[in-house]
Every structure is written in C-alpha cells, then in structure tokens.
Amino acid sequence: MTGTMGGEERKVNLSDPSLYVNRELSWLSFNERVLAQAWDERHPLLERVRFVAISATNLDEFFMIRVSGLQQQVAAELPNPVPDGMTPEEQLARIHEHTRSFMAEQREVLERVLLPALRREGINLVPYARLRKAEKQELKERFVRDIFPVLTPLAIDPAHPFPHISNLSLNLLVVIEDEGRRVMARLKVPTTIDRFMRLSGEELVQNGRRPEIRLVRVEEVIAANLEELFPGKKVAASYVFQVTRNADFVIEEDEAADLLQAIEDELEGRWFGQSVRLVVTEEMPEELREWLAINLRIDRQSVYAVPEPIGLGDFDKLVHLERADLLYPPIAPRVPDAIRSASSITSAIRQGDILLYHPYDSFAPVVEFVRAAAEDPNVLAIKQTLYRVGANSPIVEALESARDEQTQVAVLVELKARFDEEPNITWARQLEARGVHVAYGLVGLKTHAKVCLVVRREGQGLRRYVHLGTGNYNPSTARVYTDFSYFTDDPGLCEDASDLFNYLTGYSSQREYNTLLVAPLTLREGMMRLVEEQIERARGGGAARITWKMNSLTDPQIIEALYRASQAGVRVDLIVRGICCLRPGIEGVSENIRVVSIVGRFLEHARVFAFGEGEDEKLLLGSADMMQRNLDRRVEQVFPLREERHRRRVRRILDLQLSDTANAWEMRPDGTFKRLRPGEGEELLDSQAILLSDPG
C-alpha cells in the first residue's frame, strides 16, 4: 500500500502498531469525557452529580472485566498481542497511572464544585463531626433501631481467618485494643441501608422557599457507634475500604448440559472472583493497607488511597431527592402522524416504512407493535430477540399474554448479556412457564441483534411485519439512549428475519440473505465490500465518502480498510462515542479521516453506516459496532434504509453531530481528544437540543 508524503510516494505498513491506539487507554479517555460533563454548567446540578456517579460505575466495571483480564494474562505469562503492540504489563502500568489522576479529578469536581453548589441549593452532605449534638443523638437512636440489628462484625485472628470481602461492598476495617494487643475486625455496610441518611430536623433555607436537606453517610454513622458492637473493648480506629473483583466468567458452552443452569452457577461466583483493586481512605496507615493487600492477594500498584468518600457510584442516589428543579425536565417524545392517524400499527406500516429516533421519538410504538400482535387473533407467530429488557418489561408481559393455541411465540433470550444475566434468567423462566418457546442462542455466540417478527393472516394469505433496531427492547434506556427503530413489511427484509430466527432457534446453516448483513456470517464481508466500492469510486475520480456513527471502533481489518480509503482520497467522517483505535490525521495514512465523539445529556448508542453522497448514498442501520467481538463472536444485524425520506433524516442527524460544538470532542492523531467550541462570532450548536425541538 502506498501513501503520499511531501509529493513522493512511500509504502506504509497499515499494520504498524504506531497507527493504533490502545483499546484500554481509549476507553479511559472516553470516561474522561463522561467526567468532563460534571464540570459543564450547561447541565443541571444534579445531572452533573449523576455524571460523577456514572464515571465511577463505568470505572468499576472496567476493572471488573478489562483489568482483571489483563491481570490474568500477566499471571499466565502468555503474550496477548494487540494491534498497538503494548504488553499486558505495559497496559496495566498505564491504566493504574491514569486511574490515580482520574480518581483525583473525580474528587476535585465533587469537593470543589458540586458539593458547595449543592449546599447553596439547600442540599448539605454534612460530615458527622460537624453535626449538632441533637442530630448525633437522633442518628444514634436510628442506628440502634435500624442498623445495629443487621450488622455482623467479623473478628480477624488465628481463630477467625480473613473473611471474604464481596465485590464492591463498602467495609469498615476496625482496629481494636484488647488487653494490650491490637486486633482487627471487618464490618460490612449492609446494602439494605441507604448510603445517605437524611436528618429529620430540616430548616428553611435563607431564601425561605425550600427546606434544607441534610444528609450523612451511613458509614460515618456506623463508625461513630462502634462501641455498641464491641462492648468492653476499646475501638482505636476504623477505616473504610472497598474491593473490586473479577466479575467475568467463561462458560464452556459446548460442554454445558444446561446453559441456563451453568450461567446461574457461575453467577454465584461473580462476587467471589480474584481481587482486582483495593480502594482505601487516605487516613488508613500504610501498614494496614499492606496487610489488607496481602490478605486479598493483590499487588501494591492495585491499591488506591483516596480522600473520603469512596464508592462514588452511590452518589446517583442524590438524583432521587425531591429537587426536580435541579434535573433536566422530562421530555415529551413525539409519536409520528403516520402512527397516530392509523387504525393500527400494522396498517401504518402498510402505508410505508416507519423510522423512529429515540428518545426524540417515543418508544411506545415499539411496545405497541408487540402488544397489538399479542392481542390480534389474526397473528399466527411472534418471534423476538431479547438482550437487555430491564425490570417490569411491558414487552415481556405482552409476549407472555400472546401465547395461546393459535399463536406461536418464540423468544431468543441472551443469557450472556453481561451484568444482565440474572434478570434474563428470570425472564426466560417466566416465559417458559407461560408456554413460550425460549431459545438461548448459538453455542459460542452472543445474540445482540434487535429483531421482532410478526406473522399475520390477511385475506387469503400471510403477511410479515418486522421491527429492526439499533438498541435494546428496553423502555427505560430508550428514554436516555439515542437509538433507531425501523418498521417494515418489505418482503425481502421479512424473509431475512425469518431466516435469521431459523438460524438462531434451529439448525439452519443459512448464509445467504436478501438484504440483511448478519454477523458472524456476512457482516464483515459486506462492510468491507461497501468500503471497497468507495475506494474504487475515489480512484476513478468520483466523489466518495464514508460516514459512520457507532459506539466503538477497534477491529484491525476494518481500520486498515478505512486507512486505505483515506489514502485513496475518500472523505471519512466517524462519530465514535467510546473506544476508537484508529488514529486520524496522519499524513499519508489517515489525513482524510475525522473522528468526533458526542457525549452529552443522552447516551449516543445508535449505529449508522453511510456510503457515498447525494442520491447514490447507501445508508444502513444496525446493532453492531465495528469490533472483533461484534463481527466475529456475536449475532448482529445491519439493514439498509429503503426510502429516500428516511435517508435524508438520518443524513441530517449525522451532519448535525459532525457540526456540534456543544457536546463534541475531536480526536487528535495521538489519540487524545480536544473539546470543540464555536468559532468567533458563531453560536453554540447543540445537536441534541436541536433534535429535541425538531426531531425531523
């Protein structure tokens, strides 16, 4: 492959590690952009607090899955080459270095900006030492009544071995002086108790409009009343700590007699995995940190000492205080006229394909599509994939009610959806109990495709309707995740959906599809072919363009194809919210590639793949990111938009996001991101706000 440098052609090795950003470091960069929202005064105050909590929860899961995997690679002494060439040891060193500065920034924005701002709004997180005498007495009474009975102190001595510390639990290490010797005890803070205890004696704020909300962290209340747990002993000190454990697990699916039972068994061990990270308060002496690390079998670089409080993910609880004025107002998503004016959703689909963009468009039509099918005596079959459906799912309720002698209901429940395994097992059992045919997917693959197929008797024959999406069948996340929903009765797409379900639930080896691109069968090949078309067009002197929007871009083969496209003169615009291993702007390789990340009020979750420009533009939507796992180890679907009006709408969304100067960050060649701002004399362009007022 050749590239141009200073007017001369030179060969470029597109597999050179210097052309790739490390996946783990790219993810950490994304989480920095999440935390940056906590500094941004455009967001309401409690929303900014929520971003701190999200960044903390994100980091917890990163250590539970990604860091634990790297530690296992180091322990096994097995090389695991990555495109950027970093060893597992090098990655871990960079991760720990980054995490220390990141956790310091979390506390800086919390202590210096958010907590003072909350106090000005009458929400006061009060240190226990600053409480009034009457307040301390009130908390002591509540401790004795509500907390003491559920606490279980565990001694640590030769007769009492070091106890198991469950994943992400909040703990107190208690130092006790007993007859001239020092002994230790561990006390777990029960999750059944609110992390922030609200004091009953509230006073009016000076402006006289709202009562002050005074909160105390529960671990401080417990620490102040330890003498109740250790009568006759002297409590010398106590320190808060938290352990993060390996929460990943591997199922040997081809050896499991019952996949559901095998996953249930593994879930029991999620809270007992190898220790990955130890977080302690700065007040804990070095000798106690080392003692804990030794007992937890954790290396020194994985010990983090931070100012109190720890467990910042719990700050999400503050969002639920009665202060709607400090949150974004609820949005009123629209229902398109085509649906509102039709007698039924199937009749609306018969008038033309329907495209929805959540949360700007309501998710209710998706629920109604399933519910109406469940109640329709002319519906003979409903087939659906479920990946993450959330609690109290109206979709699952509709599927349960649909099962009767005339209606065949088949549901693919993905049991291996990480951190959703337990609810998915519950849904699977519940559906099976109602006579629904439940499948768990294909051995060795996760089913991530978003498809619902309805077969209906109409006149003398059958008609199929299909919903295809970029996001999960989850009404809760549909309020904050941007995703597309697409309804069609196109015979080719509907036939493809039927073939896909036969592939998922039976032994079909179907590899040919009319229109759908299906991973792991045809998606990689199809995407590469579409990229090559643009390369050939550019080489022939034609206008060529690629515009993609996705969560992550990590696949080396796809990245190489995009580099070749750039070298051929194709204009490549990438909107990548999270991980991006491609380096844009490298002369002779990627100077025609631009990478933008949108991080704002809504989580950008949709996947869009556009090829070409103008009337010749091909535009596809789907469930897959451009990652090896999505292309090779998951069942995914990507589908084309047939109607010009829908392509115009999606192109407008892409162009708005590429012009955003409120939520956008642009990637530099070194892998860092620069926040975009309006030019002199220009107004701030907030693509999410524009779409709220005019979804298109």
Side-chain angles (χ1 to χ4, degrees):
M1 180 54 58
T2 59
T4 302
M5 178 75 79
E8 297 180 1
E9 272 200 347
R10 66 181 182 90
K11 288 219 170 195
V12 179
N13 174 15
L14 296 183
S15 299
D16 189 316
S18 67
L19 298 180
Y20 294 82
V21 176
N22 179 262
R23 171 192 167 133
E24 317 305 346
L25 300 182
S26 182
W27 183 92
L28 290 170
S29 174
F30 158 67
N31 210 30
E32 284 181 339
R33 299 194 292 279
V34 173
L35 182 59
Q37 307 308 305
W39 295 94
D40 192 337
E41 294 182 359
R42 291 184 310 114
H43 300 300
L45 180 55
L46 284 178
E47 302 287 357
R48 294 165 68 189
V49 174
R50 191 202 302 269
F51 279 116
V52 173
I54 291 170
S55 75
T57 302
N58 285 350
L59 191 63
D60 290 341
E61 293 187 4
F62 178 74
F63 269 81
M64 290 158 64
I65 303 300
R66 303 301 304 179
V67 174
S68 66
L70 288 170
Q71 290 179 346
Q72 287 174 331
Q73 290 172 33
V74 171
E77 298 182 348
L78 293 174
N80 186 34
V82 289
D84 57 277
M86 289 180 69
T87 67
E89 291 87 349
E90 289 171 333
Q91 293 177 73
L92 284 171
R94 293 283 299 277
I95 288 167
H96 288 305
E97 177 187 0
H98 177 281
T99 300
R100 293 186 199 287
S101 63
F102 181 82
M103 293 174 78
E105 186 182 353
Q106 284 179 317
R107 278 151 182 81
E108 182 183 4
V109 68
L110 199 60
E111 294 291 339
R112 188 158 68 84
V113 179
L114 299 181
L115 291 180
L118 286 170
R119 284 194 289 273
R120 291 192 293 273
E121 289 290 344
I123 300 171
N124 200 347
L125 191 57
V126 190
Y128 187 88
R130 296 186 196 166
L131 291 175
R132 305 164 189 137
K133 185 176 180 180
E135 290 174 328
K136 289 181 179 179
Q137 182 58 37
E138 175 198 340
L139 288 173
K140 185 179 184 73
E141 291 171 3
R142 288 167 64 183
F143 171 84
V144 171
R145 183 182 69 242
D146 301 327
I147 301 176
F148 176 83
V150 295
L151 293 177
T152 305
L154 297 174
I156 307 171
D157 58 28
H160 302 86
F162 192 85
H164 172 74
I165 312 296
S166 55
N167 188 30
L168 296 180
S169 62
L170 211 58
N171 303 271
L172 269 66
L173 179 64
V174 185
V175 182
I176 301 165
E177 291 184 3
D178 181 27
E179 298 179 357
R181 65 190 183 104
R182 190 177 71 165
V183 296
M184 308 291 177
R186 174 262 187 155
L187 196 60
K188 178 180 177 179
V189 178
T191 55
T192 53
I193 302 169
D194 290 338
R195 176 78 189 274
F196 302 103
M197 298 180 68
R198 187 166 176 172
L199 291 159
S200 59
E202 296 173 344
E203 299 175 356
L204 290 181
V205 182
Q206 287 183 352
N207 60 25
R209 286 184 296 180
R210 288 192 180 88
E212 182 183 18
I213 298 173
R214 291 171 65 80
L215 304 165
V216 185
R217 287 183 283 118
V218 67
E219 66 269 27
E220 290 192 283
V221 176
I222 294 173
N225 292 280
L226 287 172
E227 72 279 358
E228 300 290 333
L229 289 154
F230 303 97
K233 307 294 181 186
K234 181 182 177 182
V235 176
S238 68
Y239 307 98
V240 183
F241 71 97
Q242 185 183 56
V243 177
T244 311
R245 293 187 176 276
N246 179 355
D248 207 4
F249 56 77
V250 177
I251 299 289
E252 298 295 339
E253 295 180 53
D254 52 349
E255 297 178 9
D258 183 332
L259 182 61
L260 187 147
Q261 186 61 53
I263 291 176
E264 270 194 323
D265 293 343
E266 286 293 326
L267 282 173
E268 290 295 318
R270 170 166 281 171
W271 309 108
F272 304 95
Q274 175 64 40
S275 302
V276 176
R277 178 182 58 163
L278 171 62
V279 181
V280 302
T281 58
E282 285 181 337
E283 292 78 12
M284 182 181 287
E286 183 66 34
E287 61 182 280
L288 290 182
R289 299 178 198 175
E290 290 185 11
W291 179 80
L292 273 176
I294 290 169
N295 280 281
L296 289 164
R297 299 178 183 175
I298 198 166
D299 59 272
R300 179 174 291 186
Q301 71 172 345
S302 300
V303 180
Y304 292 81
V306 296
E308 291 193 83
I310 64 177
L312 298 186
D314 287 337
F315 273 75
D316 184 65
K317 307 241 182 348
L318 298 183
V319 175
H320 304 291
L321 297 170
E322 306 88 42
R323 290 300 302 269
D325 59 307
L326 302 179
L327 295 166
Y328 277 116
I331 67 172
R334 71 167 194 171
V335 176
D337 291 340
I339 294 176
R340 282 193 289 110
S341 61
S343 58
S344 68
I345 192 159
T346 49
S347 66
I349 297 169
R350 288 195 295 273
Q351 301 306 310
D353 297 349
I354 296 171
L355 179 70
L356 305 178
Y357 190 37
H358 315 298
Y360 312 102
D361 290 328
S362 173
F363 192 74
V366 181
V367 177
E368 179 59 24
F369 180 66
V370 183
R371 184 177 288 145
E375 296 172 355
D376 187 341
N378 290 316
V379 167
L380 304 181
I382 305 172
K383 302 183 181 186
Q384 182 158 12
T385 60
L386 296 178
Y387 191 74
R388 302 185 195 275
V389 294
N392 305 314
S393 170
I395 297 270
V396 175
E397 289 177 10
L399 291 168
E400 288 178 337
S401 67
R403 179 68 182 98
D404 58 33
E405 292 304 314
Q406 284 74 45
T407 310
Q408 183 189 88
V409 182
V411 179
L412 189 293
V413 179
E414 181 46 73
L415 299 180
K416 302 183 293 295
R418 186 174 287 141
F419 301 120
D420 273 70
E421 299 97 343
E422 285 191 82
N424 284 4
I425 287 171
T426 300
W427 290 131
R429 288 207 162 116
Q430 199 167 308
L431 287 164
E432 285 178 326
R434 296 298 297 268
V436 173
H437 175 73
V438 178
Y440 306 137
L442 300 170
V443 172
L445 300 174
K446 280 187 181 180
T447 301
H448 192 246
K450 326 296 182 185
V451 190
C452 181
L453 175 70
V454 170
V455 182
R456 191 170 186 270
R457 183 190 295 111
E458 294 183 8
Q460 299 300 309
L462 300 180
R463 191 173 193 141
R464 288 179 286 201
Y465 301 85
V466 68
H467 169 269
L468 299 162
T470 67
N472 297 310
Y473 289 103
N474 187 327
S476 298
T477 56
R479 290 195 285 269
V480 290
Y481 287 24
T482 70
D483 270 307
F484 287 101
S485 278
Y486 184 62
F487 299 93
T488 184
D489 62 351
D490 172 62
L493 271 173
C494 289
E495 182 180 335
D496 283 350
S498 291
D499 288 340
L500 178 58
F501 277 107
N502 290 339
Y503 170 62
L504 289 170
T505 61
Y507 282 109
S508 165
S509 56
Q510 178 82 21
R511 295 191 65 87
E512 298 295 326
Y513 291 86
N514 298 301
T515 310
L516 276 184
L517 294 176
V518 176
L521 304 173
T522 62
L523 179 54
R524 178 185 289 280
E525 176 190 344
M527 294 299 287
M528 294 292 287
R529 184 179 66 251
L530 289 165
V531 172
E532 290 297 333
E533 284 180 6
Q534 294 304 304
I535 291 173
E536 290 305 313
R537 180 173 293 187
R539 286 175 177 162
R545 187 178 183 188
I546 293 170
T547 311
W548 289 358
K549 172 179 168 59
M550 67 203 102
N551 297 311
S552 298
L553 171 61
T554 66
D555 185 80
Q557 187 180 351
I558 295 291
I559 291 173
E560 280 197 31
L562 293 174
Y563 283 156
R564 287 190 288 103
S566 172
Q567 290 177 321
V570 179
R571 175 184 169 188
V572 180
D573 289 304
L574 304 174
I575 305 167
V576 186
R577 186 196 78 223
I579 305 167
C580 181
C581 296
L582 174 150
R583 293 186 186 273
I586 299 174
E587 191 173 356
V589 177
S590 58
E591 66 265 48
N592 291 316
I593 302 179
R594 180 178 183 232
V595 178
V596 170
S597 172
I598 304 288
V599 181
R601 173 181 179 180
F602 303 121
L603 183 118
E604 296 292 337
H605 192 255
R607 289 90 167 187
V608 182
F609 306 99
F611 301 87
E613 289 189 289
E615 294 181 0
D616 295 330
E617 184 176 42
K618 296 177 182 177
L619 217 151
L620 302 91
L621 310 177
S623 61
D625 290 310
M626 292 296 101
M627 305 176 76
Q628 287 154 299
R629 71 181 190 189
N630 298 82
L631 295 168
D632 302 330
R633 301 191 299 276
R634 289 186 172 186
V635 178
E636 306 273 11
Q637 100 287 350
V638 170
F639 56 93
L641 289 179
R642 297 193 305 154
E643 298 185 17
E644 174 62 24
R645 62 192 175 106
H646 295 323
R647 292 196 294 273
R648 281 198 308 269
R649 184 185 183 194
V650 176
R651 169 48 64 186
R652 172 184 177 247
I653 292 166
L654 295 175
D655 289 343
L656 275 174
Q657 296 201 335
L658 289 168
S659 304
D660 194 304
T661 53
N663 310 296
W665 302 67
E666 187 160 5
M667 190 178 183
R668 301 184 180 104
D670 64 358
T672 61
F673 280 79
K674 174 187 71 173
R675 190 158 201 170
L676 293 180
R677 285 291 179 251
E680 189 174 345
E682 295 178 345
E683 291 187 7
L684 197 73
L685 193 154
D686 185 335
S687 61
Q688 294 188 345
I690 290 171
L691 290 167
L692 269 177
S693 60
D694 179 16

